[in-house]
Amino acid sequence: MPVSAVAADSSVCAPLAVLGRDVLVPLVTGGEVDYAALDYAASAPALQRVWDDVAGYAPYYGSVHRGAGYLSQLSTDLFENARTTIGDFLGCRPDDQVVFTRSTTDSLNLLAAVLPPHTRVFVFETEHHASLLPWEQCPGAEVTYLNAPRTPQQAVDTLETALAEREPHGPALVCVTGASNVTGELWPVRELAAAAHAHGARIVLDAAQLAPHHPVDIAELDVDWIAFSGHKLYAPFGSGVLAGRADWLRDAEPYLAGGGASRKVARRTDGGVDVEWHTSAARHEAGSPNVIGAYAIASACQALTEAGFDTLVAREQELIARVTAGLAEVPEVRVLSLFGDDAPRVGVLSFVVDGWNSSHFAAALSAEYGIGVRDGLFCAHPLVRTLLGGEPDEPGECGAPEAAPGERSLNAIRVSFGAGTPDEHIDRFVRAVKELVTDGARWNYRTEEGRCVPDATR
């Protein structure tokens, strides 16, 4: 959508400049307003710095690891330097590998594919589907789903008990989020890692929602692997990372078979082929890699490091306090939480409004105020059902409303923000919630193809 004008002060107080900060969107009530992107938990806007870096590299793009030409050599260096930059950003240990993937989902499916035979996997039902679902796809793996804890200590105790009771004592893996994509609450990662290792298990951290908001150090947290997505870390282009211990990755068959993963291929006398696979990260990076995506993630890592997480975290906590205080002034609003209202969180909050279908409310925020939020079950159906008191077998489709506007349905509203969010967007959101609850929507809405949209006929 072309930008029709520039909102001169739209980036005031935002520590980092992001794309889209000057985009104007139409309101159904008339006029235009700069778009308030408050759906960072789904995809954060790309940093201007990242976009500029990618644009500067684009004319020099070339194939990597295969070409003798100057641009291929340059691109290969850039690709491998990106791997080093990301490893430094994550505090990787000397023997850790950084594997480029398509996303957090792809990273965790890769790890599921390399599990040793008969691995026991322990995962809380509160996980995003990306970290909840891949494990049963691995032949021979046995998955134990742990009930939603109501305190951080209960999470540790639940895991301790489950690990102590496992039989036989073979390979085991724990998968846990760093910050919930529904509530934004921080999980006790270091304590869970200690519990896992005390019982001979390994642990993978889903850092998709944590890495954009907090420093993530694989050695300090003492986790075995970290997975995250570029598109949540202010980088576009569909890239992700799996970083951590090399042994399971090195010992398994390649995630994908093809060029790049193979070191040597030779015909056998019986007509077949013998393949020698790489033992480095390339083993699971078959095919031509997403060089631009890897470079974009590295650029975002550098930008966040240079901005300083102490500064970014302090400012984000101020925004969280403004949102929670504003919502607390509206009795009809209930903020969802596992660990309690005072639990530490990143800039992600979900809530429901008495008397409103969540999709209707989100549609009104967009159409009447130019605010983009998320509604639905957030690809974390078991968790949202637990928080809303729904039955485990109730139907639900990720991100889609389940009832007509005004009817109760099992969905919620999520607001999320970060380093590119200006103060005005937060203030507009809080004001909009109060006005909608007090005065109601100023427009009529209807359901169209599973979405609540403004009614053109009013």
Side-chain angles (χ1 to χ4, degrees):
M1 176 179 177
V3 177
S4 58
V6 173
D9 63 348
S10 63
S11 61
V12 170
C13 295
L16 294 173
V18 295
L19 295 180
R21 62 192 183 277
D22 51 3
V23 171
L24 299 182
V25 295
L27 303 179
V28 292
T29 51
E32 294 179 321
V33 66
D34 63 288
Y35 181 65
L38 297 180
D39 193 16
Y40 276 45
S43 283
L47 291 177
Q48 184 68 54
R49 148 80 175 272
V50 172
W51 193 260
D52 291 344
D53 283 350
V54 167
Y57 161 65
Y60 301 94
Y61 173 80
S63 62
V64 304
H65 298 150
R66 295 167 177 79
Y70 177 80
L71 296 191
S72 291
Q73 295 294 310
L74 185 150
S75 294
T76 298
D77 288 344
L78 181 140
F79 183 65
E80 293 303 332
N81 286 338
R83 198 189 306 274
T84 300
T85 297
I86 294 166
D88 292 342
F89 179 78
L90 296 174
C92 285
R93 298 154 298 216
D95 295 334
D96 286 338
Q97 288 186 352
V98 175
V99 182
F100 288 115
T101 65
R102 294 177 297 174
S103 59
T104 307
T105 302
D106 195 33
S107 295
L108 294 170
N109 274 272
L110 163 57
L111 187 59
V114 305
L115 294 181
H118 311 298
T119 298
R120 293 284 303 275
V121 180
F122 298 84
V123 56
F124 286 93
E125 66 172 349
T126 48
E127 293 291 312
H128 185 283
H129 294 172
S131 47
L132 185 74
L133 302 180
W135 316 109
E136 289 192 348
Q137 309 303 311
C138 179
E142 183 178 340
V143 186
T144 298
Y145 295 104
L146 306 175
N147 292 334
R150 286 301 184 167
T151 67
Q153 185 58 52
Q154 189 179 67
V156 177
D157 294 343
T158 298
L159 179 62
E160 287 262 15
T161 300
L163 289 171
E165 293 176 349
R166 85 181 195 272
E167 293 286 349
H169 291 281
L173 176 70
V174 177
C175 180
V176 68
T177 188
S180 170
N181 78 302
V182 176
T183 67
E185 292 166 309
L186 297 174
W187 277 62
V189 176
R190 190 178 292 103
E191 292 81 0
L192 290 167
H197 293 152
H199 291 276
R202 299 188 182 189
I203 184 168
V204 56
L205 171 64
D206 175 355
Q209 300 297 339
L210 185 64
H213 303 274
H214 274 266
V216 177
D217 190 298
I218 192 169
E220 181 183 346
L221 293 172
D222 196 25
V223 295
D224 298 280
W225 293 277
I226 286 177
F228 73 92
S229 297
H231 72 100
K232 312 233 189 246
L233 196 79
Y234 307 101
F237 305 118
S239 284
V241 168
L242 177 67
R245 295 181 61 158
D247 52 351
W248 285 7
L249 294 165
R250 184 178 55 241
D251 294 343
E253 290 297 303
Y255 184 45
L256 298 172
S262 56
R263 186 196 303 271
K264 182 192 301 182
V265 180
R267 288 292 301 274
R268 296 196 304 264
T269 56
D270 63 3
V273 294
D274 287 322
V275 183
E276 179 183 335
W277 302 107
H278 281 292
T279 57
S280 65
R283 184 182 189 89
H284 299 290
E285 294 177 344
S288 297
N290 183 355
V291 182
I292 288 180
Y295 182 46
I297 294 179
S299 173
C301 290
Q302 288 180 318
L304 291 169
T305 300
E306 291 168 7
F309 267 110
D310 287 346
T311 299
L312 297 177
V313 169
R315 197 262 176 167
E316 184 173 302
Q317 290 305 308
E318 293 177 1
L319 297 185
I320 294 170
R322 286 163 73 169
V323 171
T324 54
L327 295 180
E329 295 175 357
V330 186
E332 294 83 354
V333 169
R334 176 166 69 95
V335 175
L336 306 183
S337 173
L338 270 176
F339 301 151
D341 294 340
D342 296 329
R345 58 161 35 102
V346 299
V348 179
L349 298 92
S350 296
F351 62 98
V352 290
V353 183
D354 289 346
W356 283 81
N357 171 274
S358 293
S359 297
H360 185 194
F361 200 89
L365 286 173
S366 175
E368 300 178 28
Y369 295 91
I371 298 171
V373 296
R374 176 81 182 270
D375 66 276
L377 300 177
F378 318 127
C379 293
H381 295 188
L383 171 56
V384 179
R385 290 194 176 104
T386 294
L387 295 173
L388 295 180
E391 294 298 324
D393 59 352
E394 287 189 70
E397 181 180 352
C398 187
E402 301 172 50
E407 297 178 2
R408 183 186 181 279
S409 66
L410 195 65
N411 58 350
I413 306 151
R414 184 180 69 193
V415 58
S416 52
F417 41 88
T421 304
D423 290 10
E424 189 277 327
H425 291 180
I426 296 297
D427 294 340
R428 191 196 316 172
F429 166 75
V430 172
R431 184 180 71 252
V433 170
K434 293 178 179 178
E435 290 180 359
L436 286 171
V437 171
T438 301
D439 304 328
R442 291 172 286 174
W443 206 263
N444 294 328
Y445 295 82
R446 59 187 173 83
T447 299
E448 181 179 285
E449 296 182 353
R451 295 299 304 165
C452 188
V453 298
D455 189 343
T457 64
R458 293 235 356 163

